[in-house]
Amino acid sequence: MNKFLTEIFSQPDALKATLDYYTGPRGESQLKNFSEYFHKEKFDRVIFTGMGSSYFVSQAASCLFNSLGFQTSVINTGELLYYQLPTLAGKPLLVCISQSGESAEIVRLLQDIPSNVTCIGIGNEEDSSLARMTKEIFLSFAGREEMTSTKTFTAISLVTYILGWSLAGKWDNNKIRLAKDLAAGVNNQLSHAEKDAEEIFDFLGEVNFLQFIGRGPSISNVYQSELMFKEASKTAAAGALGGEFRHGPMEMVNKDFKAIMFAANGESYALNEKMACDISNYNGKLVFITNNKNAGVGDENIKVIYIDQPDEYLFTVQSIIPVQLMVNFLSIKKGYEPGGFIHGNKVTTVE
């Protein structure tokens, strides 16, 4: 088993270790103390920031926080650093997400932000600049990662889920049960995921370009999938919000078009189904990843991948697994080291 695949298959343990901490005495105390501080300080909004995979995690986190009643936005760290620092006026809580805690833009931002801005970190490394330079660090427990982000993406996504529900006062037994089931669900998926990846490529055929489409929290997966295909398998890919795809990109759909759509049950599910059917009618091929057992799609141009995860936000964590395995499969087929780097490194320390 190659390194990339080993890290993919370690995700159930990473998710379990992360959940064990936040349901144990130290993690419970950290959540409780920070929640009390957060509400006492009366922050006027929450701003998430990050680069790469950490920026993408922020998209789902922002959706969750907004749904829970917190005014929340996401700003790419490079853009925040050079063009949007004035948005930190007032009393925001700045949430910096970085797996390594050493990304160049994050470190620079932490050096440059005004002293009156409260900043917390979410990351995977306890001994990092992020941990040292923020008021509080909320850690995932994925273990060291060497290849393209997989287990840190899913484990940090779980941390944002836990933090959001905790700040809303709703991190209860039901949510904990769902999070426990997540690790078991990922483990079950991985038991047949390599076979699934092969079947997906049998369906799609040769892939030179792949379009990813999603809405709401799934936009995190859309952009993470695009990144993995470009970074790990050196394959051209693009991500698009479902609504934006109708505003122009739909024109490129033809018999050579191939796409992956993330379609969780939720506010936009019916719109996703309609778009999937339209893509099929225009002779494009689509892999439809959903948690809807009764998906109203499925013909010779649409392959449905069912994800047994009822929670729309945890679906974002679990539904990335098939794409991770696709990246591994395609990398090997094209002769690349899966998850490896040619022009860069795991941690980007240069702007």
Side-chain angles (χ1 to χ4, degrees):
M1 188 180 290
N2 61 58
K3 286 183 181 179
F4 185 58
L5 203 55
T6 298
E7 290 177 353
I8 291 173
F9 273 78
S10 70
Q11 286 175 111
D13 289 340
L15 293 167
K16 183 177 183 302
T18 300
L19 181 61
D20 284 350
Y21 173 78
Y22 289 104
T23 54
R26 288 183 60 196
E28 286 182 340
S29 177
Q30 184 182 14
L31 290 171
K32 178 178 180 293
N33 291 340
F34 184 73
S35 183
E36 290 174 354
Y37 169 80
F38 176 84
H39 292 288
K40 183 180 80 172
E41 288 296 309
K42 296 185 178 358
F43 294 104
D44 56 25
R45 64 202 188 283
V46 178
I47 299 174
F48 284 97
T49 190
M51 298 295 296
S53 293
S54 299
Y55 176 51
F56 308 147
V57 166
S58 299
Q59 304 290 336
S62 178
C63 282
L64 175 62
F65 274 59
N66 278 315
S67 76
L68 294 172
F70 304 109
Q71 184 180 339
T72 313
S73 60
V74 183
I75 306 175
N76 173 277
T77 310
E79 296 301 300
L80 176 58
L81 182 59
Y82 291 104
Y83 296 102
Q84 300 197 42
L85 274 179
T87 62
L88 297 181
K91 195 172 183 181
L93 174 69
L94 181 64
V95 183
C96 292
I97 302 182
S98 174
Q99 297 160 12
S100 67
E102 301 295 347
S103 294
E105 293 86 352
I106 285 286
V107 174
R108 176 74 182 276
L109 176 66
L110 291 171
Q111 293 168 342
D112 287 1
I113 57 173
S115 59
N116 64 317
V117 175
T118 300
C119 179
I120 67 168
I122 300 177
N124 192 56
E125 300 295 337
E126 187 172 15
D127 183 21
S128 66
S129 297
L130 181 69
R132 291 189 296 271
M133 299 172 73
T134 52
K135 175 178 177 57
E136 184 104 18
I137 182 75
F138 287 90
L139 292 169
S140 63
F141 293 86
R144 186 57 57 89
E145 186 176 64
E146 297 181 38
M147 315 305 283
T148 292
S149 176
T150 53
K151 62 179 181 174
T152 54
F153 177 82
T154 52
I156 287 178
S157 295
L158 179 58
V159 174
T160 66
Y161 179 85
I162 293 169
L163 183 59
W165 287 108
S166 175
L167 291 178
K170 297 178 180 179
W171 176 237
D172 55 19
N173 288 335
N174 179 54
K175 291 293 182 291
I176 292 171
R177 179 186 58 77
L178 285 170
K180 285 181 178 177
D181 291 346
L182 171 68
V186 170
N187 189 60
N188 181 59
Q189 271 184 272
L190 288 170
S191 67
H192 53 79
E194 288 183 274
K195 178 175 176 290
D196 288 349
E198 187 172 355
E199 289 180 356
I200 289 170
F201 279 107
D202 285 344
F203 165 73
L204 289 174
E206 185 177 356
V207 172
N208 297 310
F209 168 81
L210 197 58
Q211 177 73 57
F212 294 92
I213 306 168
R215 296 171 183 258
S218 286
I219 196 62
S220 290
N221 282 9
V222 166
Y223 293 136
Q224 174 64 9
S225 298
E226 175 190 354
L227 173 66
M228 287 193 296
F229 261 76
K230 289 176 175 177
E231 183 177 70
S233 69
K234 326 306 179 199
T235 302
L241 288 163
E244 289 292 337
F245 191 76
R246 284 208 181 272
H247 289 254
M250 184 70 87
E251 292 299 317
M252 68 180 174
V253 179
N254 56 33
K255 63 181 178 59
D256 298 317
F257 178 81
K258 293 158 188 182
I260 308 286
M261 179 181 287
F262 298 96
N265 273 322
E267 291 293 325
S268 60
Y269 179 78
L271 292 171
N272 287 326
E273 265 201 6
K274 186 176 187 306
M275 179 171 287
C277 292
D278 288 346
I279 288 171
S280 175
N281 289 337
Y282 299 144
N283 297 314
K285 284 195 170 183
L286 177 76
V287 177
F288 191 79
I289 303 178
T290 184
N291 60 356
N292 188 336
K293 285 184 177 179
N294 302 307
V297 297
D299 57 33
E300 63 180 10
N301 288 330
I302 301 176
K303 180 176 179 62
V304 177
I305 302 293
Y306 174 68
I307 304 295
D308 188 12
Q309 175 50 254
D311 186 286
E312 185 173 8
Y313 293 94
L314 295 181
F315 172 85
T316 300
V317 181
Q318 196 167 333
S319 60
I320 198 69
I321 305 299
V323 180
Q324 293 173 349
L325 273 294
M326 288 176 65
V327 169
N328 179 73
F329 182 93
L330 187 58
S331 298
I332 293 171
K333 184 178 179 180
K334 294 178 72 172
Y336 295 114
E337 178 190 17
F341 305 91
I342 296 174
H343 305 304
N345 298 293
K346 171 66 180 174
V347 182
T348 303
T349 58
V350 178
E351 291 186 63

